[in-house]
Amino acid sequence: MASVVVVGTQWGDEGKGKIVDLLTRYADYVVRFQGGNNAGHTLVVDGKKFIFHIIPSGILYPEKRCMIGNGVIIDPAVLIRELEGLAAQGLTVSPKQLLISERAHLIMPYHSRLDQAAEGALAEEKKIGTTGRGIGPCYMDKVGRIGITTGDLLDAGLFRDKLQAAIDEKNFLLTRRYQVEPMDVAAVYDQFMAYGQRLAPFFGNVSLELDRARKKGENILFEGAQGTQLDIDHGTYPFVTSSNTIAGNACNGSGFGPAHIDAVVGIMKAYTTRVGAGPFPTELNDATGNRLQERGHEFGATTGRRRRCGWLDNVVVADAVRLNGLTGLAITKLDVLSGEESLQIATSYQLQGRPCAAMPANVRQATAVTPVYESLAGWREDIDKVRDYQELPATARAYIERVEELTGVPAVIVSVGPDRAETLLRQNPFK
């Protein structure tokens, strides 16, 4: 048996959904451990596109057991839409396939209302670029010990008491600070009682089930959302998400002991992208950046926003190697670089004339760094039909091998196109 964690090494959108889908065939359990519906995982299977925001990507395998851990925050309306969307495509999800932690916190309507109001009140240069889906306010309530969990929906009296206390406070903020309409307790109560009735069969103890699976010798795959540079503690703060995106949170966000993790695979796009505001040292505001954006179809799966594009930033990846304890890299979207005569990799930064080997904690310094680039030869050939690593152009292999040298981590997976089949599995982390 083995337990493998999959995380993003950059600012998210690296293609984790596809890699999780690939590795799910070797897993018995797939566990989502953090984030909410501010993240989107896109899968293309036999030319058909699937986008998941809450449900683990492994749900496309009906014989697998998927879990949503306590570290995830859940908008039940979005979750139910995903379940209904799958059912409409002939994939009805049963409680045997999906287990939702009774300790996972709920995104309430006032969270998204507060999220949008707070972002809207900021001056343009101070906006974080939030998705407006209530992620930050929900995690604030969780840490503030006033949140509402999925398990609370099973106790109508407890839920009503907690809801009344929360809305009393939130309405004060909504009406007094932001001058927007208040929330109605009765309407929210009725709405969420209906959600609870629909979802109750899926609620349970994820930690207990994972421990049983481990003791039976089952393979467990943990998937995170976003990327390392969006981690609340270790990312480009404050332009980050509101949860810990690094591998260590796989344990905390699911109730799984850290001694039982066997491998950590970091998903790394062959170039770099970022959605929303915040530092981006290798960003290309030129024709090359536009080409990467167009070839890579770089639009956020959740927001539809255009992704900012730039050269591969090895400083960012090196941070991810250190923070996550990566044992392997999965390099995605290598095919997007086809046609470029030369490629650049940022190997370090300069900050006020001094070398800088990691992303600065100071956001102004992170914005002011200058990347130091190394040039490599590109390739002209289309590579989406390649199914063996040795059949890649020599310069494409040289690019991958230089990344391995710079990071000290082997590239165990290489993706040469969006479809499930367009992936080279060089080393299976479950074996």
Side-chain angles (χ1 to χ4, degrees):
M1 61 84 68
S3 298
V4 177
V5 181
V6 169
V7 293
T9 62
Q10 296 154 313
W11 280 283
D13 306 309
E14 300 96 347
K16 293 181 292 299
K18 177 187 176 180
I19 301 304
V20 168
D21 175 66
L22 171 74
L23 294 178
T24 294
R25 70 183 67 174
Y26 308 104
D28 301 295
Y29 291 77
V30 183
V31 187
R32 169 84 182 272
F33 64 84
Q34 55 78 218
N37 59 302
N38 56 334
H41 288 172
T42 303
L43 312 179
V44 181
V45 181
D46 297 328
K48 194 173 185 178
K49 182 184 286 188
F50 298 85
I51 299 178
F52 299 114
H53 299 283
I54 301 176
I55 295 178
S57 306
I59 204 69
L60 295 182
Y61 290 82
E63 73 278 12
K64 310 295 182 179
R65 178 82 152 144
C66 289
M67 299 185 178
I68 298 174
N70 56 276
V72 179
I73 55 175
I74 298 171
D75 184 327
V78 175
L79 177 56
I80 290 169
R81 280 202 302 271
E82 288 193 7
L83 291 170
E84 291 175 347
L86 285 167
Q89 298 181 71
L91 300 170
T92 300
V93 177
S94 74
K96 289 184 178 181
Q97 293 173 267
L98 178 65
L99 178 65
I100 301 169
S101 173
E102 60 200 353
R103 296 178 181 269
H105 279 244
L106 293 170
I107 300 175
M108 305 299 292
Y110 47 78
H111 289 139
S112 54
R113 185 86 69 85
L114 285 168
D115 198 1
Q116 294 162 21
E119 181 82 350
L122 294 173
E124 194 61 36
E125 67 275 8
K126 294 185 178 181
K127 292 185 186 296
I128 300 298
T130 173
T131 60
R133 285 163 168 75
I135 307 303
C138 181
Y139 275 117
M140 289 169 66
D141 279 2
K142 177 179 179 177
V143 175
R145 296 170 292 185
I146 56 173
I148 298 174
T149 68
T150 57
D152 292 336
L153 295 177
L154 305 180
D155 185 328
L158 175 62
F159 175 71
R160 181 183 286 279
D161 290 344
K162 294 180 77 169
L163 179 65
Q164 183 69 63
I167 287 187
D168 286 346
E169 176 190 348
K170 306 310 180 189
N171 277 348
F172 180 84
L173 287 171
L174 289 168
T175 59
R176 299 293 185 89
R177 182 170 183 179
Y178 298 116
Q179 290 79 52
V180 296
E181 291 296 312
M183 306 293 300
D184 179 69
V185 174
V188 176
Y189 176 83
D190 291 343
Q191 180 184 40
F192 274 72
M193 281 291 97
Y195 292 154
Q197 186 174 13
R198 170 72 172 85
L199 295 172
F202 297 95
F203 296 161
N205 191 322
V206 165
S207 177
L208 192 61
E209 286 298 308
L210 284 175
D211 193 54
R212 289 170 178 164
R214 179 186 67 82
K215 289 175 178 176
K216 287 192 301 181
E218 306 279 22
N219 285 342
I220 305 171
L221 178 61
F222 296 87
E223 66 167 314
Q226 291 98 23
T228 298
Q229 288 294 334
L230 291 177
D231 186 275
I232 187 69
D233 286 307
H234 302 285
T236 48
Y237 189 90
F239 299 96
V240 293
T241 193
S242 297
S243 61
N244 288 109
T245 61
I246 63 174
N249 197 32
C251 298
N252 191 51
S254 63
F256 194 74
H260 305 312
I261 298 297
D262 299 295
V264 182
V265 178
I267 315 304
M268 187 207 86
K269 197 173 287 187
Y271 47 102
T272 310
T273 63
R274 178 167 197 164
V275 170
F280 187 175
T282 64
E283 184 172 12
L284 294 169
N285 295 305
D286 59 11
T288 302
N290 289 336
R291 283 198 302 274
L292 294 176
Q293 197 277 327
E294 291 167 7
R295 286 186 200 145
H297 306 288
E298 295 293 355
F299 295 93
T302 298
T303 63
R305 289 182 293 183
R306 185 184 191 277
R307 294 177 186 144
R308 301 153 65 191
C309 297
W311 292 122
L312 179 61
D313 188 335
N314 190 67
V315 177
V316 164
V317 179
D319 280 353
V321 171
R322 182 182 72 255
L323 292 167
N324 294 287
L326 297 185
T327 59
L329 287 173
I331 300 178
T332 61
K333 290 199 168 183
L334 186 69
D335 54 301
V336 175
L337 296 180
S338 295
E340 296 293 332
E341 290 187 11
S342 65
L343 306 171
Q344 309 291 320
I345 298 177
T347 55
S348 65
Y349 299 151
Q350 288 282 323
L351 177 62
Q352 298 175 342
R354 296 180 181 179
C356 185
M359 181 67 73
N362 182 304
V363 69
R364 291 182 177 175
Q365 292 179 354
T367 302
V369 297
T370 301
V372 177
Y373 287 110
E374 176 180 308
S375 294
L376 291 88
W379 59 92
R380 293 285 185 184
E381 301 93 326
D382 289 331
I383 61 173
D384 58 321
K385 300 296 189 293
V386 172
R387 296 295 179 268
D388 184 278
Y389 179 76
Q390 294 302 323
E391 294 176 2
L392 287 171
T395 49
R397 296 198 306 273
Y399 185 78
I400 293 167
E401 287 153 18
R402 183 56 179 149
V403 169
E404 293 178 316
E405 291 172 359
L406 289 168
T407 60
V409 180
V412 297
I413 299 171
V414 178
S415 173
V416 295
D419 199 89
R420 178 188 281 175
E422 296 170 333
T423 316
L424 314 179
L425 182 59
R426 303 179 68 200
Q427 181 181 328
N428 188 341
F430 280 106
K431 295 181 179 178

